[in-house]
Amino acid sequence: MSSKSKFKNVKGTRDILPEEAIRWQKIENIIRKKMEQYNFQEVRFPTFEATDLFRKSTGESTDIVRKEMFTFEDMGGRSLTLKPEGTPSVVRMFLQHGLFNKGALQKFYYIERMFRQERPQKGRYREFRQFGAEVIGSSSAESDVELVKSALDIFNELDIKDVELNINSIGCPRCRKNFIKEFKGFLKEKLSGLCEDCNRRYAENPMRILDCKRDKKKIKGAPVPSDFLCDECKEHFEEFKNRLDFLNIKFNIDNRLVRGLDYYTKTVFEFVNSNLGSQNEVGGGGRYDELIKFMGGEDTPASGYAVGIDRLMLLLKEEEEKLGVDVYIVTFDEESDAEGWKILNGLRDAGFSCDKDPMRRTVKAQFREADRQNAKWVIIIGEDERKRGIVQLKNMGKGEQKEIPMKTGKIVKELKC
Ligand SMILES: [Zn+2]
Ligand SMILES: [Zn+2]
């Protein structure tokens, strides 16, 4: 077959072929298992939302909204956007469906595709996959630690080492005001030397200047939010750290860590892995006590995080994943093929993964296929077997071959022992 098709997947997207899909399934199974151990409940949400949802919740001044969203108009002229992150949709669902009526505390998780127009680079795609969790209704630092631990457990289970946890507190709107005032004062004279983005941020979202990669050196010695925490925020951060200590979770305090999104309060954290090079972030999150009220709900505390699964994939040990069926059926002639087909369906009904050749290729080709599929067992049926009312059952691992009556029930019994 020619491979000269002019069609290729679009830049920033990826195809996941069968062997790799096995790895994805494993990761997703681990995520689900862990999330359920933590009693997070799965939610799924639409691929696109009204653009205003992200404008409002993610924030007009963020890079995501300013330059990374895939936004388009539908035929009715409504502006829609492919979801660039999960939290706005989870909060929308929470409000729209009145989930607050179901209990004061709600714990959600998701595994979803997200879309951002970033410059594609290693492990960064324009369509990418994230898992995340949100705890809505709890203001407790215990919930923040629970979130952090759930992510670390997943990394652990995937045998991904060297994930570092950076934490910080960016305070609440009350104490942040004092920080912003001092910070702006500090920046005033330096502003003309800072990058264009920081000049814009100065007016819109000055806190973000703290994590500008370009201007890092120029703002050395700048005041940081944690110097200005009110008693409540201080206490919250202490409890967060104490509980991490209690669980023996190591962390670094990075007093310049601020998340890129406008609605974060108090706890912020990120997971980094130095093996990823300069773009070392695996995921992160924090508390967003202001968002739900801001979106029109009751004053409701919340926190959450998201982790890029594509990034995690880069950190997984290379293991060769093999396709595999339990049983492959090889037949010698047309009548045997009919018998084989019955057994095929019987075995599938009995819960085995099972396949045969639908094209009646040569016996040699069928054995080759059994091999390619890493079949644990091969059932062989020819004229002789048919006449004797048996099948040959070959255990491929042991190389042993047995004759079994040509009855699905008997075969199943043999496969199970
Ligand atoms: Zn505060
Ligand atoms: Zn800058």
Side-chain angles (χ1 to χ4, degrees), residues 230-268:
C230 63
D231 287 346
E232 187 198 319
C233 289
K234 226 182 262 172
E235 215 172 283
H236 197 274
F237 195 42
E238 285 306 309
E239 201 195 335
F240 180 58
K241 290 185 288 186
N242 288 341
R243 284 183 185 262
L244 290 173
D245 280 336
F246 183 82
L247 295 176
N248 289 317
I249 297 172
K250 292 198 173 55
F251 57 85
N252 316 304
I253 297 174
D254 176 355
N255 56 21
R256 286 192 173 201
L257 176 65
V258 293
R259 301 289 303 169
L261 310 171
D262 284 352
Y263 47 68
Y264 284 98
T265 51
K266 291 180 180 159
T267 315
V268 287

Side-chain angles (χ1 to χ4, degrees), residues 194-199 201 208-209 211-216:
L194 302 185
C195 74
E196 203 184 306
D197 282 341
C198 284
N199 271 275
R201 288 170 187 145
R208 281 294 317 278
I209 297 176
D211 73 350
C212 178
K213 301 266 182 303
R214 271 176 293 177
D215 295 326
K216 207 171 175 177

Side-chain angles (χ1 to χ4, degrees), residues 116 122-124 128-132 151-152 154-156 158 160-166 259 269-285 305-316:
R116 291 184 200 174
K122 201 179 169 204
R124 291 224 182 247
F128 57 102
R129 287 137 178 102
Q130 277 190 337
F131 73 88
L152 292 175
I154 289 168
F155 302 149
N156 222 356
L158 290 168
I160 293 174
K161 304 268 192 272
D162 313 320
V163 175
E164 285 192 43
L165 169 67
N166 298 327
R259 301 289 303 169
F269 56 87
E270 66 175 6
F271 304 107
V272 297
N273 183 297
S274 54
N275 300 331
L276 287 171
S278 62
Q279 294 278 331
N280 61 358
E281 195 187 328
V282 179
Y305 71 90
V307 167
I309 308 179
D310 304 81
R311 312 275 294 158
L312 281 188
M313 291 295 282
L314 294 177
L315 299 171
L316 281 186

Side-chain angles (χ1 to χ4, degrees), residues 28 30 32 43 67 91 104 121 158 161 171 212 240 257 277-278 281 287 304-305 319 377 409:
E28 287 168 5
I30 286 173
R32 280 178 213 290
V43 286
K67 45 194 180 192
V91 169
Q121 45 190 316
L158 290 168
K161 304 268 192 272
C212 178
F240 180 58
L257 176 65
S278 62
E281 195 187 328
R287 182 154 281 288
Y305 71 90
E319 269 171 46
W377 302 86

Side-chain angles (χ1 to χ4, degrees), residues 170-176 228-234 266:
I170 55 172
C172 63
R174 268 101 41 212
C175 54
R176 198 181 303 152
F228 296 83
L229 299 183
C230 63
D231 287 346
E232 187 198 319
C233 289
K234 226 182 262 172
K266 291 180 180 159

